[in-house]
Amino acid sequence: MGWTARERRILAELKTPAHIQHYLDELDYDEEGGGDSPRVVMRNEKAQCFSGVLFACAALRELGFPPRLMYIDAASDDGHCLAIYESGGLWGAIGKSNFTTLRSREAIYPYIALGLSYFEGFFNVYGKRTMRSFTVPVELERFEPRGWRFSENELLYIDRAIDKAPKAWVLPRKIIRNVSSVSEQLRHAGLLGSKAAGLWRRNG
């Protein structure tokens, strides 16, 4: 398995993590998508959180970074994936999100600080801060023999690896009741340009 000529042309244009983030930002948000492979993302020209991160991991791999992701768990909200990369002992991230506050971070953070940098901007449509934990890095290189970059099927084995990943940080239960909601200005800013059909909402 390998990239097609068209796929190679797309990836060759993405020379930095910032270029990868820009590419993801330009893709339509796929509110019905699942764990599509990078090949499917490039063909359909749309992505959501998980498929966007898989694409970013593949693109980072082309730049010489190990393909790794972080999963952030949430309450009363959808969880979130990030493609993560290390440079000079510090970590950065790339993400596809319906929220403006949950996308990229420059590679200036220790790992724990990178994850925590998402806390203030991780909230649902009602303004409740919802982030509860995040994982250690999940390594995707081990799935290279299974063709994760080129698959036409949903990548359920990556889902299972995320579920099994140890937590790097967990919000203490006794703190949760003291966490405030975000301001109306921040809630509005986070939702700028969002696709309503892809947003978590309470049932009923």
Side-chain angles (χ1 to χ4, degrees):
M1 288 179 286
W3 300 120
T4 65
R6 176 181 178 272
E7 291 163 351
R8 287 196 299 271
R9 285 194 297 271
I10 292 171
L11 292 165
E13 293 294 317
L14 308 180
K15 302 181 187 303
T16 67
H19 290 153
I20 300 169
Q21 183 64 57
H22 179 73
Y23 179 85
L24 286 182
D25 289 343
E26 293 298 305
L27 294 179
D28 284 341
Y29 188 85
D30 185 6
E31 72 274 12
E32 296 181 354
D36 293 333
S37 72
R39 167 160 288 166
V40 173
V41 167
M42 284 188 275
R43 182 173 66 233
N44 294 343
E45 297 184 333
K46 59 183 180 179
Q48 43 80 282
C49 164
F50 189 30
S51 58
V53 160
L54 294 177
F55 171 82
C57 285
L60 285 168
R61 188 178 187 275
E62 295 295 309
L63 299 180
F65 295 101
R68 297 164 168 158
L69 62 83
M70 171 195 286
Y71 182 74
I72 302 176
D73 203 6
S76 301
D77 204 353
D78 294 320
H80 187 48
C81 266
L82 299 164
I84 55 175
Y85 62 98
E86 185 180 10
S87 179
L90 298 174
W91 293 80
I94 300 168
K96 177 71 175 174
S97 179
N98 223 359
F99 283 77
T100 61
T101 48
L102 298 182
R103 297 174 188 168
S104 65
R105 297 290 189 271
E106 293 295 311
I108 64 168
Y109 298 94
Y111 187 78
I112 293 294
L114 172 67
L116 289 175
S117 75
Y118 284 88
F119 186 85
E120 292 297 323
F122 204 121
F123 48 86
N124 63 21
V125 293
Y126 309 106
K128 178 181 177 182
R129 288 193 174 94
T130 53
M131 178 172 152
R132 295 295 181 264
S133 67
F134 58 86
T135 66
V136 302
V138 177
E139 306 280 350
L140 299 188
E141 191 65 27
R142 59 181 155 150
F143 301 121
E144 193 61 23
R146 303 182 69 166
W148 68 275
R149 293 180 292 155
F150 312 108
S151 178
E152 296 294 334
N153 302 311
E154 288 202 27
L155 303 170
L156 299 179
Y157 52 88
I158 297 180
D159 273 327
R160 289 193 291 270
I162 291 170
D163 289 341
K164 293 177 181 177
K167 299 292 192 296
W169 173 85
V170 177
L171 180 67
R173 184 178 295 274
K174 64 183 179 181
I175 299 298
I176 293 173
R177 64 178 178 272
N178 298 325
V179 173
S180 62
S181 296
V182 301
S183 67
E184 183 59 24
Q185 292 93 333
L186 180 55
R187 191 186 74 85
H188 178 72
L191 289 166
L192 283 174
S194 63
K195 199 167 185 177
L199 296 169
W200 180 93
R201 295 184 185 277
R202 299 186 190 104
N203 292 328

